[in-house]
């Protein structure tokens, strides 16, 4: 019964990590700000408990026995796959001192409060010492984990296994070569009208419509809920309780709509993992200490971006749902037709804030953050020089001047919470979404249903090929199985090029 015993231990680790996640959800949705310091300790204690369970002598004994017990099974079997993932996690965590993990988790909780104040005052100097500590802890963790070429590779491993500083350079160079000329070309064209998106949209109506659209794409509210937060996110406590949040801006309606579609896309991933994998290594990130069914952060992001952008901003989707959005906002959209609405929600122009960036310029925001993180981790860029480096990159990639640090280097929460090495996931998600969407639409029944505004066959294809497998296969294994290729930017680049040529085509007038 050693294999069964191993699974039971992993089940308990999954329980601890779910407790961690719900404390984290509470901290971001409900907790008063005064709770952050003690909450940081509670989270750190749970993270260290989970880590100590993974590296315990009991676990090692069970693992040895389970390996013997399953040695005769086929190499690709579920049992051997699960055992191999536990082995990998034991090796990984044996290298990271618990004290470092504790320091990082505690500083991450306090750091978010310090960052929030610094951002409110646009005062980078008050955040710099915390960030210096966080970079140093991450550097020590990278050294402890070990790496071949670059310390950044070690940090990325828990978010996007297989990706390295070198592989990202290749991917990003291809994307930059395609995206920057498109952005420049659009800069010369007349912008479509979008004033009506900035009219006054009551929050209650926005909430109601966001819930409706999340349901439309298949997010199950029996196993989910939608709350309001400053920074939207999705988190699951097994596939049976998958929560999402969005945020509202009264005078910018797309924020809540596309925020909800994005997070519901993440939610669909977790809600559709094979129920047989619940509490197993295929629904537990034992390396990242996170109870999640998605196989990498980038793979997760592929699902959110697919539903937000490829589906949620498509003419087909609005051919079906424009009457509903007009009914939800009869005054605000009274002088707008479907075509004008679709053009407006696909408008592109360089902007300073990542989370408000349009689909085309979004990856430029990511690439500049990855450049900066790599330099911070290798030590070629000092924290004190960060604002200057940031502003120079924004100018280089987007042609904009940054008026203050709140609109610049202080805008994202990631570094304050200790996450360094995760920004690439957004762009990998975009690339993967492009690849999956193009492949799925090669199936005539999926393409014709989508043209009629019915995306259920697409969801079924994604569930079959990606979602149900949880963490059984790597990201690239999933891509090869479903599209015949590992991560490949060509379909994404083709999609962006054709979409923006259509919206900003030579004959397009600005209306
Ligand atoms: Zn996301």
């Amino acid at each position: 019964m050693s294999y069964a015993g191993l699974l039971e231990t992993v089940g308990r680790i999954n329980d601890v990590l779910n407790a961690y996640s719900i404390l984290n959800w509470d901290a971001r949705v409900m907790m008063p700000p005064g709770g952050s310091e003690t909450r940081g300790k509670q989270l750190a204690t749970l993270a260290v408990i989970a880590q100590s369970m993974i590296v315990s002598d009991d676990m090692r004994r069970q693992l040895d026995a389970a390996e013997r017990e399953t040695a005769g099974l086929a190499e690709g079997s579920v049992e051997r796959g699960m055992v191999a993932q536990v082995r990998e996690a034991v090796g990984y965590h044996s290298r990271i001192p618990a004290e470092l993990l504790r320091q990082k988790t505690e500083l991450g909780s306090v750091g978010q409060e310090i960052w929030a104040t610094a951002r409110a005052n646009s005062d980078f100097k008050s955040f710099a010492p915390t960030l210096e500590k966080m970079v140093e802890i991450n550097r020590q963790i990278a050294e402890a984990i070990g790496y071949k070429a670059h310390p950044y590779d070690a940090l990325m491993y828990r978010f996007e296994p297989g990706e390295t500083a070198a592989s990202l350079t290749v991917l990003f160079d291809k994307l930059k070569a395609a995206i920057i000329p498109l952005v420049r070309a659009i800069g010369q064209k007349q912008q479509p009208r979008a004033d009506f998106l900035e009219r006054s949209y009551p929050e209650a109506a926005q909430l109601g419509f966001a819930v409706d659209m999340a349901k439309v794409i298949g997010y199950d509210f029996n196993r989910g809920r939608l709350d309001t937060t400053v920074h939207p996110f999705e988190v699951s406590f097994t596939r049976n309780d998958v929560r999402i949040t969005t945020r509202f801006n009264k005078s910018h309606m797309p924020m809540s709509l596309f925020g909800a579609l994005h997070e519901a896309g993440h939610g669909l991933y977790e809600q559709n993992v094979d129920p047989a994998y619940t509490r197993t290594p295929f629904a537990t990130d034992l390396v990242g200490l996170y109870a999640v069914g998605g196989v990498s952060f980038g793979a997760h992001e592929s699902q959110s971006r697919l539903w937000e952008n490829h589906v949620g901003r498509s003419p087909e989707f609005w051919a079906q749902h424009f009457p509903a959005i007009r009914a939800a906002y009869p005054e605000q959209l009274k002088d707008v037709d479907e075509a004008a609405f679709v053009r407006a929600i696909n408008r592109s122009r360089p902007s300073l804030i990542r989370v408000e960036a349009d689909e085309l310029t979004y990856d430029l925001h990511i690439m500049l953050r990855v450049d900066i993180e790599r330099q911070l981790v290798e030590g070629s860029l000092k924290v004190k020089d960060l604002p200057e480096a940031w502003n120079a990159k924004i100018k280089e990639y987007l042609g904009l001047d940054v008026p203050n640090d709140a609109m610049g280097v202080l805008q994202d929460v990631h570094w304050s919470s200790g996450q360094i090495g995760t920004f690439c996931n957004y762009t990998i998600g975009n690339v993967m979404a492009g690849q999956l969407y193009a492949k799925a639409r090669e199936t005539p029944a999926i393409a014709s249903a989508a043209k009629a505004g019915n995306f259920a066959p697409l969801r079924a294809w994604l569930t079959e090929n990606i979602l149900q497998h949880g963490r059984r296969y790597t990201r690239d294994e999933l891509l090869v199985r479903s599209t015949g290729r590992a991560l490949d930017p060509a379909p994404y680049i083709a999609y962006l090029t054709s979409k923006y040529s259509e919206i900003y085509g030579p004959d397009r007038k600005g209306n």
Side-chain angles (χ1 to χ4, degrees):
M1 290 301 283
S2 47
Y3 173 72
L6 182 75
L7 283 199
E8 187 41 40
T9 305
V10 171
R12 285 193 213 115
I13 294 167
N14 180 279
D15 297 340
V16 171
L17 292 175
N18 274 305
Y20 178 101
S21 288
I22 199 151
L23 282 188
N24 206 16
W25 175 86
D26 173 80
R28 296 169 75 174
V29 178
M30 307 293 286
M31 189 183 76
S36 76
E37 197 177 336
T38 41
R39 181 57 52 87
K41 291 193 190 307
Q42 294 153 8
L43 288 168
T45 295
L46 287 175
V48 170
I49 287 174
Q51 192 202 31
S52 65
M53 289 169 83
I54 292 172
V55 298
S56 70
D57 291 342
D58 265 2
M59 173 65 110
R60 288 170 204 269
R61 271 193 296 274
Q62 278 176 327
L63 184 54
D64 289 343
E67 273 174 352
R68 284 194 297 273
E69 188 182 323
T70 56
L73 300 174
E75 192 153 352
S77 65
V78 164
E79 293 84 353
R80 282 187 61 177
M82 289 198 185
V83 171
Q85 293 201 5
V86 179
R87 173 62 74 194
E88 182 204 6
V90 169
Y92 180 89
H93 287 289
S94 303
R95 302 201 291 274
I96 302 177
E99 184 49 33
L100 265 183
L101 181 65
R102 181 181 293 280
Q103 279 177 22
K104 185 181 160 196
T105 313
E106 278 189 33
L107 184 64
S109 185
V110 181
Q112 287 181 55
E113 295 301 319
I114 296 170
W115 161 79
T117 308
R119 188 174 76 154
N121 301 325
S122 194
D123 175 17
F124 180 75
K125 280 203 175 76
S126 66
F127 176 56
T130 308
L131 184 55
E132 264 164 27
K133 269 186 232 160
M134 197 52 101
V135 170
E136 182 50 34
I137 291 173
N138 269 280
R139 214 181 279 143
Q140 289 175 28
I141 289 176
E143 293 302 327
I145 293 168
Y147 53 88
K148 281 200 191 95
H150 197 287
Y152 196 59
D153 302 350
L155 296 179
M156 269 194 297
Y157 183 76
R158 62 159 290 210
F159 303 111
E160 205 62 32
E163 220 57 64
T164 62
S167 67
L168 286 184
T169 302
V170 175
L171 177 67
F172 287 3
D173 283 350
K174 285 183 190 160
L175 291 173
K176 272 187 255 182
I179 292 173
I180 291 176
L182 264 178
V183 172
R184 301 251 154 92
I186 285 174
Q188 310 298 318
K189 308 247 175 183
Q190 197 168 1
Q191 283 286 355
R193 177 190 166 204
D195 59 294
F196 48 84
L197 298 176
E198 318 294 325
R199 288 171 179 163
S200 178
Y201 288 84
E203 205 174 298
Q206 289 195 43
L207 175 62
F209 195 70
V211 167
D212 286 350
M213 289 301 105
K215 281 183 189 158
V216 156
I217 66 165
Y219 176 77
D220 175 5
F221 276 88
N222 267 328
R223 297 182 288 132
R225 55 179 284 139
L226 174 72
D227 290 277
T228 307
T229 43
V230 182
H231 301 283
F233 68 101
E234 172 272 335
V235 63
S236 65
F237 322 109
T238 79
R239 74 193 293 281
N240 298 318
D241 182 354
V242 179
R243 303 187 192 183
I244 58 175
T245 70
T246 192
R247 59 177 176 170
F248 301 94
N249 180 338
K250 256 202 181 130
S251 49
H252 185 64
M253 177 270 286
M255 183 179 277
S256 64
L257 170 60
F258 293 104
L261 283 173
H262 179 100
E263 301 307 336
H266 280 300
L268 282 175
Y269 200 156
E270 295 300 313
Q271 289 187 332
N272 288 293
V273 173
D274 188 335
Y277 295 163
T278 301
R279 293 178 83 244
T280 75
F282 289 169
T284 314
D285 179 1
L286 292 167
V287 165
L289 296 179
Y290 189 35
V292 68
V295 69
S296 76
F297 280 57
H300 232 294
E301 209 58 32
S302 78
Q303 299 308 299
S304 56
R305 306 296 281 189
L306 192 150
W307 289 102
E308 175 192 357
N309 290 331
H310 293 263
V311 175
R313 293 183 201 271
S314 68
E316 294 97 329
F317 187 80
W318 291 106
Q320 195 72 13
H321 300 293
F322 187 70
I325 199 166
R326 251 213 32 210
Y329 309 117
E331 267 306 300
Q332 295 86 343
L333 296 177
K334 67 179 176 204
D335 56 346
V336 182
D337 67 14
E338 190 185 309
F341 179 78
V342 171
R343 278 202 297 280
I345 59 173
N346 284 295
R347 192 163 72 140
S348 171
R349 58 176 175 189
S351 61
L352 290 167
I353 305 291
R354 174 184 63 88
V355 296
E356 292 164 13
D358 59 73
E359 196 181 353
L360 180 62
T361 56
Y362 192 91
D363 294 307
L364 299 174
H365 289 265
I366 297 308
M367 292 189 255
L368 77 91
R369 282 159 177 77
V370 172
D371 286 351
I372 282 175
E373 282 189 336
R374 274 193 293 219
Q375 292 170 15
L376 277 178
V377 171
E378 73 193 15
S380 64
L381 175 66
K382 301 279 173 256
V383 166
K384 69 174 171 52
D385 300 325
L386 199 48
E388 207 180 316
W390 180 283
N391 298 350
K393 288 263 177 214
I394 289 279
K395 187 80 183 172
E396 180 192 341
Y397 285 8
L398 293 156
L400 299 174
D401 294 308
V402 179
N404 57 56
D405 290 340
M407 306 278 286
V409 68
L410 282 173
Q411 65 181 269
D412 293 312
V413 68
H414 301 61
W415 295 338
S416 73
S417 70
Q419 296 199 346
I420 295 179
T422 178
F423 274 118
C424 70
N425 307 123
Y426 297 103
T427 287
I428 285 171
N430 284 336
V431 170
M432 182 168 169
Q435 201 174 337
L436 291 173
Y437 196 66
K439 184 67 192 179
R441 293 192 61 143
E442 285 176 14
T443 304
I446 294 175
S448 60
K451 282 207 183 89
N454 171 13
F455 294 92
L458 172 68
R459 191 173 66 246
W461 187 91
L462 291 167
T463 300
E464 169 82 23
N465 285 285
I466 308 290
L467 314 185
Q468 64 159 337
H469 298 298
R471 304 179 60 82
R472 180 172 180 186
Y473 303 107
T474 65
R475 179 200 77 199
D476 275 351
E477 281 169 355
L478 287 172
L479 280 169
V480 170
R481 289 167 62 94
S482 57
T483 73
R485 306 178 69 100
L487 192 71
D488 172 13
Y492 176 54
I493 289 171
Y495 156 79
L496 288 177
T497 308
S498 100
K499 172 173 185 166
Y500 285 97
S501 310
E502 172 69 23
I503 294 165
Y504 288 91
D507 306 328
R508 182 67 65 205
K509 297 283 180 296
N511 58 17

